[in-house]
Amino acid sequence: MGFFSWLKRLFLWHKKPLLEYEHEIFSPDNRIGLKIQLKGGQVFYSVKKDGKLLVDDSALGLALRSEKPILKNLSLVRAREKEFDETWETVWGEAKIIRNHYREITLYISETTAEKRLLTVRFRAFNDGVAFRYEIPPQPAFQNLTISEELSEFKIDNNSIAWHIPAYQPDRYEYNYTPSPVYELTHSVHTPLTIETPTGHFLSLHEAALYNYGSMTLRLNRNHALMSDITPLSDGMKAYVELPFNTPWRVIMIADTAMDLTVNRMLLNLNDPPREDFSWVKPLKFMGIWWAMFVGEWTWAPGERHGATTAHAKEYIDACNRLGIDGLLIEGWNNGWEGDWLQNGNTTNFTQPMDDFDMDTVSEYAKKCGVSLVGHHETVGFIDNYERQLEEAYQYYANHGVHYIKPGYAGSMMTIQGRKEYHHSQIGVLHYQKTVELAAKYHICLDIHEPIKGTGIERTFPNLLTREGARGQEYEGGALSPSHTTIIPFTRLLSGGMDYTSGIFDVTNFTKRIATTLARQLAYYVTIFSAMQMAADRPRFYEKEFPAAYKFIRDVPVSWEETVPLLGRIGEYYVVARKERDGEDWFIGGVTNEDARRVRLNLNFLDDGVSYEAEIYRDGDTAHYRDNQLAIMIETRKVSKRDFLDIWMAAGGGFAVRLKRLQP
Ligand code: NOJ
Ligand code: CA
């Protein structure tokens, strides 16, 4: 190709801005087409896969406070295309090596009216979906902007089925998913919003690289398109920004099957590589002075049954050693848990232990035993109180050799300078970001509970090891059904790992009965990825009650070399295989909903010419999540890649397999 035609292809220069424009870019495998149009002064995009329309002409724009929206009277100054292809290595995760390959087109847009405001829209087409974001360049007319709404449409066939949880509700993100046709989404719902189209495609709408902006929810507009509804601040505005400013990426994951969606890597690829060295970050399996409080044996609050005492901490540290668990979470150690702790958010202290908890003794003992403590900060969302103490609180833990913290933000709203703000608002987003960056400074890893949604920023900040951000096991005892954990692999987990707090073996507990079989608790370590994985029950259930089943929790890793999606249907069942990071063994986890079923697993993902010993933990033949939870079968078999594995799952049950490579 000659220099000039190359230049022409790269830069479509125009003497005069174009008022009409149409161009289609394709994913590297040419299967996804992303068409960009400028018509009647407005920008639209549409998406096809294999020639089938998935997203119909959808308008783009931004609404501003006390100004006209940047939406109409637009002209194209120039368009620029490029292709990008790199392969990078994760610090931890579901896959060690990730390929980031896309084609990109950037539209440089100017208004035709007197204001002549400038806007850039950057689009990318990957093999597994498309993404776009707004970039507001510096411009003579203004240095900052108040965004009152983002006007991004996603015009999906309204007869598609979407799995959704409601936005703006008291329990933030912690809801059960409901499937319903898109035409019913007249109230805002959270993303990732996973959608099955009448063409049989699977999409998930979400965002990547959420910084300094409200988080996106979605709602149908009058145009029958899903439209961005950015979480507002208490004054109704969506974001106050200084220029230049880039919005988060708007992401449409696209897959031929629901299982293919589960290995979509767009979010990580749309985030930047780390800017500093994070090789100190280590994924962790941990126990906790924790579930004993949920079942009422112990309390967070001081008193007779106080959980976080020096004595209990030492006992649990010993148990960690015996059980081969590297970390220990201690909740309820600091002042602030007296009485109704949900009301104490303004006075909670993050450096003052209660009288019966000696931080020096506990941290020295943990160090001696080689156990990493996981600190705990329950902020109840009182951000002023927390931010005032933040640096000191992290320093305090770092000084005691604590390099993991689980912060929590219980309560339906955050309280900031007397105002109530959504966790997912710009102020919330800024706060969480502050904690991640400050934690990195002290070499502290985070497991954030009641967080904002994951948007792949753990690529840039790998010390953000995991987060909650969905209904987790703490809701057992009535508010969880088996189908929930057959839905989240296709919805919530697309946004990154989750601390589900797996491994509750006391499933028949009268106070907090668990709606699963015992075997299914093991499956979660594979089906629910988390770089901090909890063995959430009390040690006696692992050591005394079910030591044989516990062996799987001891053996299962928390970071993976690769992930192979095996079988699944949203809300029915999910089976996945993962290979240990820098190891030779494979692990499989499977869960089913309220229906028992048998699955036949093709083991052709295993290495060639190698035998494996399969250690199978499955439901006993009469198991049932309601009345026979403890029936479990543990058996071993020799298998190779030519074999199939037939496994039966009880209603509300599941299984876990370790495939131990045998030396040839
Ligand atoms: C809610 C968290 O999800 C849970 O793990 C924690 O124990 C409580 N808040 C108390 O902080
Ligand atoms: Ca929670």
Side-chain angles (χ1 to χ4, degrees):
M1 199 191 304
F3 177 71
F4 283 105
S5 52
W6 173 81
L7 199 70
K8 200 169 135 202
R9 238 180 84 167
L10 218 59
F11 299 93
L12 304 169
W13 289 95
H14 306 288
K15 281 207 191 76
K16 262 206 210 146
L18 286 178
L19 297 173
E20 303 285 322
Y21 174 78
E22 184 177 310
H23 186 64
E24 191 168 12
I25 63 164
F26 289 89
S27 55
D29 65 3
N30 292 315
R31 291 183 63 194
I32 294 177
L34 170 60
K35 190 162 85 183
I36 319 292
Q37 281 176 285
L38 183 67
K39 33 179 196 184
Q42 261 193 282
V43 179
F44 296 88
Y45 75 96
S46 61
V47 184
K48 284 182 179 168
K49 181 162 188 191
D50 300 326
K52 289 218 171 78
L53 187 68
L54 299 180
V55 185
D56 207 346
D57 289 356
S58 302
L60 297 179
L62 291 171
L64 307 175
R65 184 173 67 181
S66 32
E67 282 189 56
K68 276 194 305 192
I70 308 181
L71 178 71
K72 294 184 171 160
N73 306 310
L74 303 178
S75 66
L76 182 69
V77 180
R78 76 181 161 111
R80 183 172 188 248
E81 281 184 71
K82 76 166 192 185
E83 181 162 347
F84 184 82
D85 191 1
E86 78 170 357
T87 299
W88 58 281
E89 196 178 313
T90 58
V91 177
W92 48 263
E94 295 180 272
K96 185 171 184 178
I97 303 295
I98 292 180
R99 184 170 180 192
N100 184 13
H101 190 191
Y102 59 82
R103 296 211 182 110
E104 177 182 277
I105 184 164
T106 310
L107 304 187
Y108 297 89
I109 291 162
S110 163
E111 282 180 313
T112 53
T113 47
E115 289 93 343
K116 286 231 173 317
R117 294 172 300 184
L118 304 173
L119 182 68
T120 302
V121 192
R122 190 179 298 269
F123 296 90
R124 287 184 185 165
F126 299 80
N127 289 344
D128 53 356
V130 302
F132 60 86
R133 75 173 179 198
Y134 303 91
E135 302 179 353
I136 314 170
Q139 32 203 304
F142 44 95
Q143 282 82 48
N144 41 53
L145 276 183
T146 305
I147 295 171
S148 59
E149 192 53 275
E150 184 182 312
L151 308 170
S152 303
E153 287 186 337
F154 304 85
K155 200 165 189 186
I156 313 270
D157 187 325
N158 277 206
N159 291 301
S160 306
I161 299 298
W163 279 263
H164 53 93
I165 51 172
Y168 308 128
Q169 297 302 308
D171 286 325
R172 307 153 307 267
Y173 227 152
E174 299 174 353
Y175 287 91
N176 287 322
Y177 284 83
T178 316
S180 63
V182 166
Y183 58 71
E184 287 182 7
L185 301 186
T186 48
H187 297 283
S188 296
V189 295
H190 274 297
T191 69
L193 182 67
T194 295
I195 293 172
E196 181 177 1
T197 68
T199 52
H201 290 90
F202 288 83
L203 313 179
S204 193
L205 308 182
H206 190 44
E207 61 186 315
L210 170 61
Y211 293 106
N212 192 17
Y213 199 77
S215 176
M216 182 175 77
T217 72
L218 294 166
R219 179 164 38 91
L220 275 182
N221 66 10
R222 270 174 300 179
N223 206 9
H224 305 288
L226 289 168
M227 199 179 83
S228 52
D229 168 18
I230 306 300
T231 306
L233 294 158
S234 52
D235 66 2
M237 292 298 111
K238 304 308 176 91
Y240 291 85
V241 303
E242 276 173 25
L243 307 189
F245 180 79
N246 300 338
T247 67
W249 288 96
R250 305 301 166 214
V251 178
I252 308 174
M253 306 180 201
I254 303 172
D256 296 336
T257 66
M259 285 308 276
D260 283 349
L261 256 194
T262 64
V263 287
N264 191 292
R265 301 285 174 244
M266 286 174 72
L267 293 193
L268 294 174
N269 280 331
L270 288 163
N271 276 274
D272 293 336
R275 287 182 282 269
E276 52 193 278
D277 173 42
F278 280 96
S279 56
W280 51 270
V281 167
K282 298 275 176 290
L284 185 76
K285 213 183 292 167
F286 64 109
M287 283 205 295
I289 294 192
W290 190 69
W291 194 248
M293 278 89 99
F294 280 88
V295 293
E297 267 171 25
W298 289 349
T299 58
W300 281 275
E304 288 274 283
R305 285 185 288 139
H306 182 215
T309 64
T310 306
H312 289 156
K314 286 173 120 181
E315 280 162 33
Y316 266 55
I317 290 168
D318 290 341
C320 284
N321 275 176
R322 291 194 301 272
L323 289 163
I325 296 278
D326 291 335
L328 179 68
L329 165 72
I330 303 176
E331 291 200 8
W333 64 277
N334 59 323
N335 286 331
W337 292 95
E338 311 76 21
D340 182 0
W341 58 271
L342 284 166
Q343 305 305 320
N344 298 350
N346 244 338
T347 53
T348 301
N349 187 290
F350 299 100
T351 49
Q352 278 171 13
M354 289 189 216
D355 291 342
D356 53 357
F357 184 79
D358 184 336
M359 180 62 98
D360 293 331
T361 308
V362 172
S363 59
E364 273 158 34
Y365 192 68
K367 193 172 168 206
K368 194 180 111 205
C369 298
V371 170
S372 297
L373 293 180
V374 180
H376 185 235
H377 288 160
E378 178 50 74
T379 71
V380 207
F382 279 77
I383 299 312
D384 305 317
N385 180 50
Y386 190 39
E387 288 201 357
R388 257 196 311 272
Q389 301 178 57
L390 200 59
E391 182 113 28
E392 208 192 333
Y394 285 0
Q395 219 162 44
Y396 175 82
Y397 266 139
N399 289 345
H400 284 93
V402 179
H403 289 285
Y404 297 86
I405 298 179
K406 171 183 169 183
Y409 297 83
S412 26
M413 302 288 274
M414 291 183 150
T415 309
I416 300 173
Q417 290 159 14
R419 299 189 309 272
K420 296 287 179 195
E421 303 282 358
Y422 287 113
H423 291 58
H424 281 96
S425 67
Q426 183 186 25
I427 277 193
V429 170
L430 284 168
H431 167 74
Y432 287 103
Q433 187 58 27
K434 190 175 194 167
T435 67
V436 172
E437 291 180 25
L438 194 68
K441 181 174 148 195
Y442 288 99
H443 282 201
I444 287 171
C445 296
L446 297 181
D447 167 8
I448 307 179
H449 275 235
E450 298 81 37
I452 42 168
K453 63 181 76 167
T455 60
I457 69 161
E458 64 272 26
R459 179 179 179 188
T460 317
F461 300 97
N463 65 312
L464 177 44
L465 277 178
T466 192
R467 65 181 85 210
E468 186 191 38
R471 186 166 282 210
Q473 192 126 263
E474 63 183 355
Y475 279 83
E476 284 287 7
L480 273 179
S481 65
S483 57
H484 180 62
T485 32
T486 66
I487 297 174
I488 58 173
F490 304 97
T491 53
R492 158 66 182 83
L493 297 180
L494 302 184
S495 69
M498 175 184 179
D499 181 17
Y500 189 73
T501 67
S502 305
I504 302 292
F505 280 5
D506 186 12
V507 284
T508 57
N509 188 287
F510 183 64
T511 310
K512 216 151 160 80
R513 193 186 172 84
I514 310 282
T516 78
T517 62
L518 179 63
R520 184 197 186 92
Q521 288 291 321
L522 302 179
Y524 289 157
Y525 290 90
V526 192
T527 62
I528 303 175
F529 169 70
S530 181
M532 278 178 75
Q533 197 69 266
M534 195 170 190
D537 215 334
R538 293 139 292 166
R540 69 174 187 274
F541 285 89
Y542 301 142
E543 295 191 272
K544 302 220 167 64
E545 307 277 342
F546 307 104
Y550 174 73
K551 182 174 179 299
F552 185 80
I553 300 184
R554 180 195 285 265
D555 293 343
V556 70
V558 288
S559 185
W560 307 96
E561 188 79 18
E562 58 178 301
T563 292
V564 180
L566 295 181
L567 301 169
R569 288 171 72 91
I570 309 178
E572 294 180 29
Y573 57 99
Y574 172 67
V575 186
V576 62
R578 305 189 198 259
K579 190 180 191 187
E580 180 173 18
R581 173 81 53 124
D582 301 322
E584 299 293 347
D585 293 355
W586 284 84
F587 293 78
I588 309 176
V591 291
T592 179
N593 60 4
E594 289 76 1
D595 297 329
R597 71 185 79 231
R598 185 177 297 282
V599 288
R600 170 160 295 181
L601 308 177
N602 189 337
L603 299 181
N604 62 1
F605 56 85
L606 292 175
D607 292 342
D608 268 329
V610 186
S611 298
Y612 293 81
E613 184 176 72
E615 298 171 359
I616 304 165
Y617 303 74
R618 63 169 179 86
D619 293 320
D621 298 340
T622 55
H624 194 288
Y625 77 100
R626 270 203 223 101
D627 51 22
N628 193 12
Q629 296 158 274
L630 298 176
I632 189 170
M633 279 292 294
I634 303 174
E635 55 202 9
T636 56
R637 267 180 58 188
K638 207 169 146 186
V639 297
S640 76
K641 91 177 272 166
R642 292 186 312 277
D643 290 317
F644 284 79
L645 212 52
D646 279 342
I647 299 190
W648 180 79
M649 295 186 270
F655 66 92
V657 181
R658 177 189 186 186
L659 293 150
K660 220 161 109 185
R661 189 190 170 112
L662 299 172
Q663 290 313 317

